[in-house]
């Protein structure tokens, strides 16, 4: 009897487990079908969407999808739910979503009352375009939205709410430009207006962006206070605002950074993990928290139990894999970086270095190709605009000359007509010139943002390498990492110079002066080395500046390491002169020279091998002589000349 009972219990458990598994499979399958339907709608495959909707389990959202598929007068609320879902799908390019909005979501015909749901759709479109496509495309939609809102009475409460929503784009531009004064002022004005309107969501929105300026100012306590205020306001809402998850992420990160608030961190992390759709956002924060607490504590055991892993290595492997499936590239980078730092904090140095290598790969993936393509596309668009404007101006002038020539007999009437025509054309040209000027300013802002982001990411990688050196005792490994930092620093200075200049060229005298000054502080701060730089009014673009800067970095570093290893004083010289279609770089010192003389066909040292490869990039030939010191001479070509040769 006893065994029969146990057998029945076992069979019951098996049936329950199988049913649970089937339920989980059904949920995953339903979500996958929803994603397919959304893709069908975006690409106008309505018949396929309708057929699939009829096969899956019905819900309020499938009803929305069906109304959109059959074009049964879907509302702005329907569209808003649809766009919120597809915008968060990393597998769907946002340009397709934006094109769908432009084609299907028309401005409301009702002119007496503003439609806030329409406004929210356009604000979200502006935000995603700015983050995923370009500032220019976002600004175009912003102008259209501003025109719609300004057509209504500004004293109306809903119109005031719409203006607060529409101001978010300008606030983000202030953040990019780090214009703290105007950015904070606008956020605080929006908060006061939202408070008068008794709109908690808009109050939360204003506080969310205000916190970005507090971060720039480094005001941690005020930042935490505003986040806490936002969470209190969230409690007054029936459903959380779009900024709830972001606020949780911000305050958890702040408390971890501040320290001493482990109980609050655990509670907030649990809330973020259990929040539907935001579990993946908790991975990097859990990793960061694990880096600040003892691995033998009960808190760590609770986290390992939650993720069903046995140790910190298993946690890292699991969350990295989950992140690859659910996170965008930027969030994946943040997760890998936090896992690496946590492993390093707990002396898992080999594994930490492996994760740091992955962060470098991720940075290249995010910025190198994407930013290059984005910038190239932007330049093509600008060139096309200028060309079209030039053609339009030429046509207008031609038409004017034909009319004047044809009607020359009616001098008085034509003179009067030409005067008014000319005046009107002048106004049109003024507007077009204003449009060109605005576009050029936006282009400058984008280019500055690109170089600023690249420079910052070089600094992030350099900081990671610097952290890595803290626990490395092997001198050779330490030297390799420090050499890598110097190379990153030389490239970061180039992007800093590009960020500061408008013409896209680098004054090489300023650049080399700054680079040599930094290398001197690293390798010869206690020695009297006279550095002579002879580079007069020579400018290079980024394609020449980066390899040339790295070459000079290697040669000057070698001079400090070997020429003045035993000497406390000396002379180091760097010069660049133009000769016909080429340039000549010379770097020489008064040390003992290289013995034996290097053979660049069979070079073995990493530094000189790198110099050879970089010289090849700029069509350079290397010559070396031992003449009272090491004398390097490289004859190379700039970008324009290399293109002519190619």
């Amino acid at each position: 009897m006893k065994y029969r009972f146990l057998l029945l219990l076992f069979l019951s458990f098996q049936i329950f487990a199988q049913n649970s598994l089937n339920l989980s499979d059904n949920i995953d399958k339903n979500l996958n079908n929803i994603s397919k339907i959304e893709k069908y709608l975006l690409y106008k495959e309505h018949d396929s969407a309708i057929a699939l909707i009829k096969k899956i389990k019905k819900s309020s959202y499938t009803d929305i999808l069906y109304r959109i598929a059959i074009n049964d007068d879907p509302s702005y609320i329907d569209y808003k739910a649809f766009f919120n879902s597809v915008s968060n799908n990393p597998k769907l390019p946002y340009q397709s979503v934006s094109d769908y909005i432009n084609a299907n979501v028309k401005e409301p015909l009702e002119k007496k009352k503003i439609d806030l749901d329409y406004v929210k759709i356009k604000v979200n479109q502006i935000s995603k375009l700015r983050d995923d496509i370009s500032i220019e495309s976002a600004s175009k939609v912003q102008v259209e939205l501003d025109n719609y809102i300004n057509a209504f009475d500004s004293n109306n409460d809903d119109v005031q709410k719409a203006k607060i929503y529409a101001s978010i784009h300008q606030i983000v531009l202030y953040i990019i430009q780090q214009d703290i004064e105007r950015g904070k002022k606008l956020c605080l004005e929006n908060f006061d207006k939202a408070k008068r309107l008794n709109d908690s969501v808009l109050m939360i929105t204003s506080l969310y962006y205000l916190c970005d300026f507090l971060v720039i100012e480094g005001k941690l306590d005020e930042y935490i206070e505003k986040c806490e205020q936002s969470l209190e306001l969230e409690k007054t809402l029936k459903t959380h605002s779009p900024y709830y998850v972001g606020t949780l992420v911000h305050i958890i990160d702040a408390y971890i950074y501040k320290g001493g608030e482990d109980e609050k961190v655990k509670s907030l992390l649990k809330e973020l993990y259990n929040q539907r759709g935001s579990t993946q956002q908790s991975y990097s924060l859990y990793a960061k928290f694990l880096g600040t607490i003892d691995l033998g504590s009960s808190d760590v055991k609770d986290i390992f139990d939650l993720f069903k892993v046995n140790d910190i290595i298993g946690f890292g492997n699991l969350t990295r894999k989950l992140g690859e499936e659910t996170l965008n590239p930027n969030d994946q980078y943040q997760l890998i970086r936090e896992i690496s730092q946590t492993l390093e904090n707990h002396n898992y140095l080999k594994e930490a270095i492996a994760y740091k290598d992955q962060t470098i790969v991720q940075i290249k993936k995010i910025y190198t190709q994407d930013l290059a393509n984005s910038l190239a596309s932007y330049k093509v668009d600008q060139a096309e605009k200028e060309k079209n404007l030039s053609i339009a101006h030429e046509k207008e002038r031609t038409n004017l000359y034909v009319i004047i020539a044809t009607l020359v007999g009616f001098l008085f009437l034509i003179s009067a007509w030409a005067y008014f025509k000319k005046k009107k054309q002048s106004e049109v040209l003024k507007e077009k010139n204003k449009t060109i000027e605005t576009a050029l300013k936006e282009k400058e802002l984008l280019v500055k943002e690109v170089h600023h982001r690249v420079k910052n990411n070089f600094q992030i990688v350099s900081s990671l390498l610097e952290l890595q050196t803290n626990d490395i005792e092997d001198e050779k490994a330490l030297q390799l990492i420090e050499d890598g930092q110097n190379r990153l620093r030389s490239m970061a200075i180039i992007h800093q110079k590009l960020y500061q200049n408008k013409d896209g060229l680098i004054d090489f005298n300023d650049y080399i002066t700054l680079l040599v000054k930094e290398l001197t502080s690293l390798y010869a701060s206690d020695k009297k080395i006279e550095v002579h730089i002879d580079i007069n009014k020579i400018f290079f673009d980024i394609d020449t500046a980066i390899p040339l800067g790295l070459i000079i970095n290697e040669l000057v570093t070698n001079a400090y390491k070997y020429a003045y290893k035993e000497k406390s004083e000396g002379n180091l010289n760097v010069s660049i002169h133009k000769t016909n279609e080429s340039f000549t770089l010379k770097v020489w010192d008064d040390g003992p020279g290289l013995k034996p003389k290097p053979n660049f066909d069979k070079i073995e040292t990493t530094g000189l091998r790198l110099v050879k490869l970089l010289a090849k990039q700029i069509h350079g030939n290397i010559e070396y002589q031992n003449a009272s010191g090491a004398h390097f001479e490289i004859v190379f070509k700039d970008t324009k000349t290399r293109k002519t040769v190619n």
Side-chain angles (χ1 to χ4, degrees), residues 131-132 327-337 358-374 450 453-454 457 460-461:
D131 294 342
D132 296 353
L327 295 173
N328 63 45
N330 284 308
D331 289 338
Q332 286 181 44
Y333 162 75
Q334 184 67 23
L335 172 60
I336 298 169
R337 179 186 171 200
Q358 291 180 37
T359 64
I360 296 172
V361 173
Q362 190 68 15
I363 286 172
K364 289 181 179 177
K365 178 181 176 183
I366 294 169
Y367 292 107
T368 304
Q369 189 61 42
D370 290 349
L371 288 178
N373 290 343
S374 176
V450 168
R453 288 170 69 182
V454 171
N457 279 282
I460 288 172
V461 177

Side-chain angles (χ1 to χ4, degrees), residues 32-42 48-50 52-53 56 62 65 82:
N32 187 46
N33 285 331
I34 291 290
S35 181
K36 285 183 180 179
I37 294 167
E38 292 172 341
K39 187 174 181 180
Y40 287 146
L41 292 177
L42 277 184
S48 299
I50 293 168
L52 188 53
I53 290 171
I56 67 173
T62 57
L65 295 177
F82 173 55

Side-chain angles (χ1 to χ4, degrees), residues 510-643:
D510 288 350
Y511 167 68
I512 295 304
T513 301
L514 179 58
L515 177 62
V516 170
K517 185 177 180 181
E518 292 220 6
L519 292 174
T520 302
S521 67
L522 286 172
Y523 294 104
S525 60
D526 58 339
K527 297 183 179 182
K528 295 181 180 179
I529 308 299
E530 292 289 332
V531 180
H532 306 281
I533 297 173
D534 183 12
I535 304 172
N536 186 27
K537 294 183 180 179
I538 291 180
F539 299 81
F540 293 121
D541 64 9
I542 190 171
D543 291 334
T544 301
I546 284 184
L548 188 58
L550 286 169
I551 289 170
I552 295 172
N553 177 81
E554 294 300 319
L555 296 179
V556 172
T557 299
N558 280 348
Y560 280 137
K561 282 183 180 179
Y562 305 111
Y564 303 114
K565 183 176 182 181
E566 304 295 336
K567 297 178 65 176
S568 61
E569 59 183 31
N571 290 281
L572 176 63
N573 302 272
V574 180
S575 72
I576 299 177
H577 293 106
K578 186 173 182 181
T579 54
N580 298 325
E581 296 299 320
S582 300
F583 292 83
T584 301
L585 164 68
K586 294 182 179 180
V587 179
W588 73 98
D589 58 61
D590 56 356
L594 299 180
K595 297 178 181 178
K597 181 179 178 181
N599 180 355
F600 284 96
D601 292 328
K602 299 179 180 179
I603 199 72
E604 293 182 358
T605 61
T606 302
L608 291 181
R609 190 162 62 247
L610 179 60
V611 169
K612 177 185 175 182
L613 292 173
L614 291 168
K616 188 176 180 181
Q617 287 186 27
I618 54 177
H619 293 193
N621 296 317
I622 308 174
E623 295 290 339
Y624 172 81
Q625 290 183 358
N626 271 334
S628 299
H631 285 236
F632 289 89
E633 179 175 311
I634 300 175
V635 179
F636 65 94
K637 303 182 188 301
D638 63 5
T639 303
K640 182 179 178 182
T641 309
R642 294 201 303 272
K643 287 181 178 178

Side-chain angles (χ1 to χ4, degrees), residues 44-90:
K44 300 179 182 179
E45 299 175 18
H46 293 97
D47 291 342
S48 299
I50 293 168
L52 188 53
I53 290 171
K54 291 179 178 179
K55 293 179 181 179
I56 67 173
K57 185 178 179 181
K58 298 295 182 289
S59 67
S60 58
Y61 185 56
T62 57
D63 290 341
I64 290 173
L65 295 177
Y66 186 69
R67 284 196 295 274
I68 294 174
I70 65 173
N71 198 23
D72 184 20
D73 195 23
S75 67
Y76 290 121
I77 295 176
D78 292 339
Y79 278 128
K80 189 168 70 167
F82 173 55
F83 296 138
N84 284 343
S85 179
V86 296
S87 297
N88 293 323
N89 187 341

